Amino acid sequence: MLKRTIKHLKKLSLFIGFISCSFAFINCKNEKIIKLNVLQFNIWQEGTVVPNGFNAVVDEIIRTDADLIAFSEVRNYNGVDFSKHIVEALKEKGHTYYAQPSQDTGLLSKYPIIEQTALYPVKNDHGSITKAIIDVLDVEIAFYSGHLDYLNCALYLPRGYDGSTWNKLDSIVTDVEQIQKNNLESMRDDAIDVFIADAENEIKQDRLVIYGGDNNEPSHLDWIEANKNLYDHNGVVINWRNTSELENRGFKDAYREVFPNPLTHPGFTYPADNPLVPINKLAWSPEADDRDRIDFIFYYPDERLQLMNAKILGPQGDVSRNQRVLEVTEDVFLEPLNVWPTDHKAVLTEFALKF
């Protein structure tokens, strides 16, 4: 009798296990996951500075299989709508994208754009942020492209240059209070504050939030004690305002989430060594090492959005002290196909989107 009872319990246990596995399988089958590639791309005056630069922008978008692209330096030259131009060029190569007219910053998407606004409109070339609500298979994403004020670029002060004229200073500036004061004379903080307020409202509406931008300002995660004597930081450890404010509000720096150590993975995005461009057009502070990470992808954590990977898109080489340099780091690069269209490197991140 006891043996039969034990045998019956084993069968019952196996049956329950089978049912549990079946339900788990059903749940797994019902949960959809897609890859979402996000590209932040300063295209240097629409790729016009580099011969065949516009076509190179198109080719890199196709090669990266980017789903969402945040552009900086959209100019709409000669009355030609860049958004229409880029969409048509991609269509000619068999790729469907969506875009709407914009200025200075722009957005491109494989998925339909529900609405787009100039959240922080460009005025007197003091930067801009463009925002779009994008429908990714019924998941709405608030996607932002930023190109922040390039003046009062305080990262140059410790390197001995003025951050608005780029004239050489009589001496380097290492006083953190003075650097911060100069930094806040720009309008970068104004733009970031507008973004944060808007993004927090979108989060309340259950939308995902992703920001890609050339911020023209470094990260507080990169100017730390461990590298204060590298890259002409000249002993400066500084809590750069805008990345710090983003972090305080819960936003994540995608590249630093994947690669938290700026010593092994500095992730420099500017100035990039573009072999097709004379060195004097790439070096703004020719006697200094001004390599820095000023291009970013930020996102707000959500269980539906999992960061999988991050890469630097562009040439491995940099520009330092008016020289083309190639420093070996552990950064992961996706090197250009043939022509690299810009003086920046781009940031490419891969997310898993669950719905």
Side-chain angles (χ1 to χ4, degrees), residues 246-269:
L246 287 164
E247 182 182 82
N248 291 340
R249 296 301 189 98
F251 296 91
K252 301 294 184 182
D253 175 344
Y255 197 78
R256 277 288 164 258
E257 285 293 295
V258 178
F259 304 115
N261 188 345
L263 292 177
T264 57
H265 296 80
F268 299 135
T269 62

Side-chain angles (χ1 to χ4, degrees), residues 12 66 74-75 110 141 181 197 206 211 224 235 238 274 285 295 302 317 331 353:
L12 182 61
V74 172
R75 304 303 186 211
K110 277 188 182 179
I141 298 179
K181 182 178 182 295
D206 201 36
Y211 168 94
I224 61 175
I238 186 168
N274 192 321
S285 52
D295 300 83
D302 188 290
D331 290 307
L353 178 62

Side-chain angles (χ1 to χ4, degrees), residues 183-199:
N183 192 45
L184 290 175
E185 288 172 0
S186 80
M187 299 187 73
R188 290 185 290 274
D189 54 314
D190 305 73
I192 284 297
D193 289 349
V194 168
F195 160 71
I196 289 172
D198 189 82

Side-chain angles (χ1 to χ4, degrees), residues 34 36 68 109 111-112 134-141 353 355:
I34 64 167
L36 189 72
L68 304 177
S109 170
Y111 298 93
I134 298 174
D135 182 353
V136 181
L137 303 176
D138 294 328
V139 175
E140 291 189 358
I141 298 179
L353 178 62
F355 55 103

Side-chain angles (χ1 to χ4, degrees), residues 205-275:
Q205 298 181 59
D206 201 36
R207 286 174 172 149
L208 301 178
V209 169
I210 302 174
Y211 168 94
D214 167 9
N215 283 4
N216 280 312
E217 183 177 314
S219 170
H220 68 293
L221 300 175
D222 295 348
W223 285 59
I224 61 175
E225 185 71 25
N227 63 12
K228 68 180 182 181
N229 295 314
L230 300 176
Y231 321 124
D232 279 355
H233 291 188
N234 285 308
V236 173
V237 176
I238 186 168
N239 196 35
W240 291 103
R241 192 268 182 187
N242 288 314
T243 54
S244 178
E245 185 67 13
L246 287 164
E247 182 182 82
N248 291 340
R249 296 301 189 98
F251 296 91
K252 301 294 184 182
D253 175 344
Y255 197 78
R256 277 288 164 258
E257 285 293 295
V258 178
F259 304 115
N261 188 345
L263 292 177
T264 57
H265 296 80
F268 299 135
T269 62
Y270 186 84
D273 176 18
N274 192 321

Side-chain angles (χ1 to χ4, degrees), residues 267-322:
F268 299 135
T269 62
Y270 186 84
D273 176 18
N274 192 321
L276 300 177
V277 178
I279 192 74
N280 64 338
K281 288 188 177 181
L282 298 172
W284 283 46
S285 52
E287 295 181 25
D289 180 353
D290 62 348
R291 292 175 291 172
D292 232 315
R293 189 171 67 99
I294 61 173
D295 300 83
F296 303 93
I297 292 174
F298 281 88
Y299 68 100
Y300 194 82
D302 188 290
E303 62 181 8
R304 295 167 294 176
L305 191 66
Q306 183 179 356
L307 177 63
M308 305 299 292
N309 201 0
K311 296 177 182 178
I312 301 295
L313 172 63
Q316 289 194 42
D318 304 299
V319 175
S320 173
R321 305 186 193 284
N322 212 34

